[in-house]
Amino acid sequence: MKITAANIYVVPTGFRRAVILELETDEGITGLGEAGIAYGLGTTAAAEMLAAMLERLVIGRDPSPVELIWNDIYDQGFWTKGGGAISIAGLSAIDHALWDIKGKTLGVPVYSLLGGPIETELDVYANGWWLGCDNGSEFAEAGLRTVDRGYRGLKLYPLGMADPVTVIRHPARRSLREGELALVIDRVEKLRAAVGDDIAIMLDFGGGLSSDQLLPLLRRLEPFGVCFVEEPVDPALPGALKRVGRQTSIPLAAGERVYTRYGFHSLLETGAVSIIQPDLCNTGGLMEGRKIAALAEIHNVRVAPHNYGSTLATAISAQLAACIPNFMVLECFPDYAREPDYRPILENPWEDNVRNGRMILDALPGLGAVLDKASVKNHLWKRVTLE
């Protein structure tokens, strides 16, 4: 079998701009992947990086030796070593697509190739349920409606303020403005009172605050039984994360902006995090995620994959979640299709498999994802072929 061509799509879908890869082979088997730069800046940069990797190091090759191709790209890409989101997101998408081809060729799900499934249903928590909320009462009402739909975990951005461009505006210059601290407490306190003590509440601080505001805030949040605080500090400040971890009883989580096992090694060595959150679409892909999970296991840390991409990203993330023993919970956006300007990526979104707060694994071969070609065809960014 030989990889003969690739289609790269940049698809606006709700609040995201998904970078989707479709690899083609001479045997008619295709593989899908996603480069996880669906928000923030850099979407088209990731698409171009992906195209360069494909042109120079992938097209024309046998797709079966996934690890060899991954290492060739990592070793020869130069910026991939110690690299950040753009380069590793491109590498991740290629990894996904190669595993998808392998699974389809063998007629089995990718999670089976990676040693799973450990369970056939995955715990998920809801994100995005808070859209349109501002004060504590609004968060409480929306949270209760989501719990009534069967979800047992809720994530919110308590420091975030509504923004017409970015949806959520995280704190600028690592500080809250006057009056915002009281609003943060109001949101969490009223949400907890509404949903009760048995529902997990996760707080994403989005890169966080300086210690003078952060530490007193965490102390005030401790009575509310928070499941974890995500990214309490800027991910570039491992020393600050370590200091925060020593001074709060709330479990800390991080990893959305950490890349490859090498980045996670440094994060885990801080001893500050109880949960890591690798994003399978920007941290190196599925096998790299498997290695990261093993690193976490020897540090007594669980894995809650970060998942803020398209519906394809959910199918990819579920493959890893199904086969690691230290899996905790998977992020899920139950109202993805209600987002403004939503455009389908898959014909069979895995979000629709959630029942009573658990995602039922699909047994389709490969990633178990069927590309909605009619929906994405007008968003082709580039086609890469053999010269």
Side-chain angles (χ1 to χ4, degrees):
M1 185 186 297
K2 180 184 291 186
I3 300 168
T4 55
N7 297 314
I8 301 169
Y9 302 93
V10 177
V11 188
T13 175
F15 297 131
R16 302 157 186 79
R17 298 170 303 283
V19 180
I20 305 298
L21 168 64
E22 181 187 31
L23 284 184
E24 299 177 356
T25 68
D26 59 355
E27 295 187 16
I29 296 175
T30 59
L32 299 178
E34 180 166 349
I37 313 292
Y39 52 98
L41 303 178
T43 300
T44 55
E48 287 298 328
M49 175 64 78
L50 179 54
M53 290 175 169
L54 292 163
E55 289 168 352
R56 294 178 60 179
L57 297 167
V58 178
I59 300 296
R61 297 183 66 166
D62 175 358
S64 60
V66 181
E67 186 81 356
L68 174 62
I69 296 173
W70 193 100
N71 278 275
D72 283 348
I73 297 170
Y74 184 78
D75 290 339
Q76 299 178 43
F78 191 81
W79 300 110
T80 42
K81 288 192 174 180
I86 302 301
S87 58
I88 306 302
L91 178 54
S92 300
I94 293 168
D95 173 271
H96 308 151
L98 295 174
W99 280 108
D100 195 22
I101 290 169
K102 185 180 287 288
K104 290 173 179 175
T105 300
L106 298 174
V108 296
V110 170
Y111 61 72
S112 181
L113 297 175
L114 296 176
I118 290 176
E119 295 187 18
T120 57
E121 298 181 3
L122 306 174
D123 286 330
V124 300
Y125 67 83
N127 198 347
W129 56 272
W130 39 260
L131 188 64
C133 296
D134 182 36
N135 61 48
S137 296
E138 291 168 344
F139 274 87
E141 293 170 6
L144 193 56
R145 288 195 299 269
T146 308
V147 168
D148 287 344
R149 294 162 63 185
Y151 288 90
R152 309 297 295 169
L154 304 172
K155 187 163 89 172
L156 64 149
Y157 304 86
L159 313 186
M161 304 301 156
D163 188 280
V165 177
T166 63
V167 185
I168 290 288
R169 174 176 53 80
H170 293 295
R173 299 180 296 281
R174 301 193 184 108
S175 63
L176 288 173
R177 300 172 182 175
E178 184 177 354
E180 290 179 343
L181 177 60
L183 181 59
V184 171
I185 299 299
D186 182 59
R187 289 168 169 177
V188 179
E189 183 176 25
K190 287 183 177 173
L191 176 62
R192 173 55 77 201
V195 301
D197 293 337
D198 294 334
I199 300 301
I201 293 177
M202 296 86 163
L203 306 180
D204 187 342
F205 279 16
L209 305 170
S210 293
S211 296
D212 64 306
Q213 288 189 333
L214 175 62
L215 293 173
L217 174 58
L218 289 173
R219 283 193 288 272
R220 292 185 64 181
L221 291 172
E222 285 176 352
F224 302 127
V226 175
C227 178
F228 63 70
V229 167
E230 177 178 337
E231 284 197 331
V233 302
D234 188 311
L237 301 174
L241 183 65
K242 187 174 183 178
R243 289 192 296 274
V244 171
R246 290 171 176 165
Q247 297 184 58
T248 182
S249 64
I250 301 175
L252 302 183
E256 168 186 358
R257 290 179 274 195
V258 178
Y259 312 106
T260 77
R261 77 202 91 143
Y262 305 108
F264 276 92
H265 171 72
S266 299
L267 174 63
L268 289 162
E269 285 293 300
T270 68
V273 293
S274 300
I275 300 107
I276 60 166
Q277 300 171 294
D279 189 312
L280 278 297
C281 295
N282 70 24
T283 199
L286 285 159
M287 181 57 77
E288 193 68 5
R290 191 76 175 82
K291 295 172 183 177
I292 289 166
L295 275 177
E297 194 172 4
I298 63 174
H299 284 83
N300 203 34
V301 167
R302 289 203 287 173
V303 180
H306 181 266
N307 178 38
Y308 199 152
S310 79
T311 52
L312 174 57
T314 302
I316 292 164
S317 300
Q319 303 299 322
L320 180 74
C323 68
I324 55 174
N326 52 340
F327 167 70
M328 178 184 178
V329 66
L330 177 62
E331 186 169 18
C332 181
F333 285 77
D335 298 318
Y336 67 96
R338 299 180 186 176
E339 294 177 6
D341 302 316
Y342 169 73
R343 180 175 286 99
I345 302 295
L346 300 183
E347 294 181 2
N348 59 332
W350 283 46
E351 287 84 349
D352 296 348
N353 296 348
V354 176
R355 303 288 185 274
N356 297 316
R358 308 200 84 201
M359 181 178 289
I360 301 167
L361 289 183
D362 199 313
L364 289 173
L367 296 176
V370 181
L371 186 66
D372 190 332
K373 292 190 176 183
S375 178
V376 305
K377 66 179 181 180
N378 292 330
H379 299 277
L380 180 67
W381 181 264
K382 183 172 286 188
R383 179 170 171 82
V384 183
T385 60
L386 285 167
E387 292 295 336

